[in-house]
Amino acid sequence: MALELVSSSKCFEGEQRIYSHNSTVLGCEMKFSVFVPPCMLEEKKECPVLYYLSGLTCTHENFIHKSGMQQHAAKEGILIVNPDTSPRNVNIPGEDDAYDFGSGAGFYVNATQEPWSKNYLMYSYVTEELVELVNKNFAVLPNKKGIFGHSMGGHGALICALKNPGQYQSVSAFAPICNPIECPWGQKALKGYLGDDKEQWKQYDATHLAQNYAGTPLELFIDQGSDDNFLKQKQLLPDNLLTACAGNDHLQAIYKQREGYDHSYYYIATFVGEHIAYHAKFLKN
């Protein structure tokens, strides 16, 4: 699994890099970003790894340009990896027709419906192929792994953690889509990728997964701006997830509502340092 270095820039004594590779799982060339902290570069230390999943319309670049996360990752000594949000240029008719389905909107599921089922396997890409690539090519501690994300990517982070007890030592989410079965974004994506059987949808719905979670005790850090238009439009539905967690002794939820903040990267940039410090508590002990 050869990686090609696309770019590298010095940043907070570390390096912000972009790589490309041919994905066996997705059947196309993919790019992902890696912030390598100075302790890994200078001291050759093995470091924890934190995966960030982006939201609708994003690529692998939005987070690295807009969040200001590098200073916090450098301070904590954590490698941060963020993939693209879907396969690219796989020539499926209609893949570029909508912002909330197809390109830039993989929803971190494994599609079962043609023509999407050949390439749109983002769940397996994020939880298996990308992890294997990172473990092979970087001096990471494979048993010190966290995951977080924003909006669609917050949904992705939650389901990856809930579906794989013990694989991630920490999980957090900015303004996540918490109950996709019950919101327009989720209904469109899940129907398109998985078909009409709503029982299949439940395996990618954090609220349903939380209701039935019986694995390693897990804490979910949910972060939400109070002035988020998508919260008001009932696309996110955090209360449903919080209710599910409250009824499950294996789960604990931390919910922070940020007064006056919206859904943008200004909001993420304000609190990303708090999230990275939160993950560091679990990943560095």
Side-chain angles (χ1 to χ4, degrees):
M1 291 192 284
L3 292 182
E4 179 181 343
L5 182 63
V6 176
S7 65
S8 181
S9 299
K10 188 171 183 177
C11 185
F12 289 96
E13 304 306 317
E15 289 182 9
Q16 181 60 64
R17 302 175 183 174
I18 296 175
Y19 289 94
S20 69
H21 73 106
N22 291 315
S23 170
T24 302
V25 169
L26 304 181
C28 64
E29 181 186 56
M30 290 294 285
K31 291 180 180 177
F32 65 94
S33 301
V34 179
F35 178 73
V36 185
C39 62
M40 184 178 284
L41 288 176
E42 297 167 5
E43 302 169 37
K44 308 302 181 185
K45 281 187 176 179
E46 292 184 326
C47 295
V49 57
L50 182 54
Y51 291 86
Y52 176 87
L53 306 183
S54 297
L56 288 168
T57 75
C58 290
T59 70
H60 57 285
E61 293 195 83
N62 300 71
F63 182 61
I64 65 174
H65 292 317
K66 296 181 177 182
S67 72
M69 60 85 179
Q70 291 89 348
Q71 59 183 311
H72 308 290
K75 176 185 173 183
E76 297 291 357
I78 297 175
L79 186 92
I80 296 193
V81 178
N82 56 293
D84 204 344
T85 53
S86 75
R88 298 287 174 175
N89 305 311
V90 291
N91 300 316
I92 295 175
E95 66 182 349
D96 298 322
D97 288 356
Y99 82 95
D100 55 357
F101 188 80
S103 296
F107 262 83
Y108 306 102
V109 305
N110 282 347
T112 58
Q113 299 297 297
E114 294 185 354
W116 310 98
S117 56
K118 180 181 178 182
N119 304 101
Y120 275 67
L121 305 170
M122 286 298 294
Y123 173 75
S124 288
Y125 177 71
V126 166
T127 60
E128 297 173 14
E129 185 176 28
L130 184 62
V131 172
E132 188 177 344
L133 269 173
V134 170
N135 288 349
K136 181 178 179 181
N137 288 280
F138 299 91
V140 296
L141 297 163
N143 62 337
K144 295 292 184 181
K145 181 163 73 265
I147 192 165
F148 68 150
H150 171 232
S151 196
M152 177 185 74
H155 142 80
L158 291 170
I159 64 169
C160 287
L162 290 166
K163 287 168 69 67
N164 297 279
Q167 184 173 145
Y168 300 95
Q169 283 64 61
S170 57
V171 57
S172 73
F174 293 100
I177 302 171
C178 293
N179 195 185
I181 287 177
E182 300 296 338
C183 75
W185 278 341
Q187 291 165 351
K188 178 178 181 178
L190 296 174
K191 180 178 174 66
Y193 293 132
L194 303 175
D196 293 326
D197 184 359
K198 291 188 178 181
E199 287 301 311
Q200 296 300 311
W201 299 9
K202 289 180 180 179
Q203 65 180 311
Y204 295 109
D205 183 297
T207 296
H208 283 273
L209 291 169
Q211 288 170 349
N212 299 297
Y213 182 83
T216 308
L218 185 64
E219 187 173 88
L220 309 179
F221 176 11
I222 312 299
D223 199 307
Q224 178 63 60
S226 68
D227 208 27
D228 186 327
N229 284 335
F230 299 119
L231 177 68
K232 298 172 184 178
Q233 294 167 15
K234 300 191 183 305
Q235 293 279 21
L236 308 178
L237 304 173
D239 289 344
N240 296 1
L241 176 58
L242 295 174
T243 298
C245 290
N248 189 331
D249 292 340
H250 295 269
L251 294 173
Q252 182 174 343
I254 297 172
Y255 183 65
K256 293 198 175 183
Q257 183 165 289
R258 312 295 191 172
E259 198 62 36
Y261 284 88
D262 59 16
H263 199 75
S264 71
Y265 265 91
Y266 297 114
Y267 152 63
I268 295 172
T270 304
F271 300 107
V272 71
E274 183 177 333
H275 278 248
I276 291 173
Y278 170 81
H279 287 275
K281 289 191 305 180
F282 296 90
L283 300 179
K284 294 171 67 178
N285 62 17

